[in-house]
Amino acid sequence: MLPADTRVLADPEAVAIEACRLISAAAAAAITQRRIFRLVLAGGTTPGRIYQRLATSAQQWAAWEIFWGDERCLPADDPARNSRMAQTRWLDHVAIPAAQIHPIPAELGAAEAAAQYAETIRNKQPFDLVLLGIGEDGHTASLFPGRKSQAGAVIAVHDAPKPPAERVSLNFETLRACRQQIVIATGSEKAAALAAWQHGQNLPIAQAVRHDACLLLDTSATRSADFVSPIV
Ligand code: 6PG
């Protein structure tokens, strides 16, 4: 089942605008209540537009604290790193204190990075907001279908079907340990996974996403014969 709060928007830009609006509102509320906004970023390409929009938005950046939901085991400056994408499009352009930006040290190798990141997030939960993407196979973060479940808040992945095979990922429970989740999916290549999720397939995205999450889709992502558009 998809979250009750599923919104179908015109295109990827409209999804980015709505996601930015929701993230800004969550940040304002968290900072008012707790003087800190702890945000977990999604990897991949879909959130790129969101990060670019955030870069030019007016925020209380000194109170933002950034984490990642997963990372690819590549050198820290590799352009294919999830951290590099967010840094070049957004984090390098705003005044979030460096001590409040926590990339996953995946360059150390999956096992060592997972152990260190579990320590990094130990006293940072519940996160205020977790941003999640979805893969064509229904994966999210680096939690892929058909894999044996692992114990631990942060896991090492050695057999990811989406290169690179070596990754680090927050585990299901950790991705759910938050006050709010926003899931973003755009493009027709995601339609089959969304329809399968909607019809009850127990995909990683279905296991990671809370019932009270907000799912933002563009119309292309709903273009599957099996997808039943939510009643708006
Ligand atoms: C990664 C991401 C992954 C991503 C989905 C969607 O490292 O690739 O963490 O989980 O969110 O695969 O990727 P796109 O946004 O590029 O379609």
Side-chain angles (χ1 to χ4, degrees):
M1 287 288 285
L2 300 182
D5 185 5
T6 293
R7 308 179 195 185
V8 181
L9 301 161
D11 53 31
E13 201 54 34
V15 167
I17 292 167
E18 181 66 356
C20 248
R21 190 181 70 78
L22 293 169
I23 293 167
S24 301
I31 293 166
T32 299
Q33 291 162 30
R34 292 176 294 278
R35 295 195 300 281
I36 190 83
F37 174 55
R38 293 187 169 129
L39 171 62
V40 177
L41 300 186
T45 56
T46 304
R49 293 171 186 268
I50 300 170
Y51 300 158
Q52 268 172 304
R53 283 190 162 273
L54 284 172
T56 56
S57 67
Q59 308 285 350
Q60 301 172 75
W61 293 121
W64 285 49
E65 190 166 16
I66 304 297
F67 304 86
W68 274 264
D70 71 323
E71 189 54 274
R72 306 161 182 193
C73 292
L74 297 166
D77 58 356
D78 189 302
R81 284 267 299 230
N82 290 329
S83 54
R84 283 304 301 147
M85 192 272 273
Q87 281 159 342
T88 51
R89 292 189 181 220
W90 165 31
L91 299 175
D92 290 351
H93 310 286
V94 298
I96 298 175
Q100 290 167 209
I101 298 177
H102 306 285
I104 298 172
E107 64 278 7
L108 302 176
E112 178 57 26
Q116 288 194 19
Y117 213 63
E119 279 309 304
T120 300
I121 65 168
R122 184 180 300 282
N123 301 317
K124 305 287 188 179
Q125 299 166 64
F127 301 114
D128 290 296
L129 196 153
V130 172
L131 188 60
L132 291 173
I134 178 173
E136 296 176 32
D137 59 359
H139 78 259
T140 192
S142 287
L143 303 170
F144 291 91
R147 284 1 189 228
K148 272 176 57 187
S149 63
Q150 291 187 54
V154 186
I155 62 170
V157 175
H158 302 290
D159 58 354
K162 178 179 181 184
E166 292 283 310
R167 291 159 168 262
V168 182
S169 184
L170 298 192
N171 213 344
F172 291 103
E173 202 175 313
T174 313
L175 293 173
R176 295 169 63 92
C178 57
R179 293 182 172 88
Q180 194 176 349
Q181 282 178 333
I182 295 175
V183 185
I184 51 174
T186 61
S188 56
E189 68 276 13
K190 306 298 173 74
L194 284 161
W197 177 13
Q198 183 179 47
H199 294 292
Q201 201 166 327
N202 194 30
L203 298 166
I205 187 71
Q207 297 171 51
V209 172
R210 295 160 50 106
H211 71 282
D212 60 358
C214 174
L215 171 58
L216 301 178
L217 308 174
D218 72 348
T219 49
S220 301
T222 68
R223 285 217 179 98
S224 154
D226 303 327
F227 187 86
V228 177
S229 275
I231 297 149
V232 182

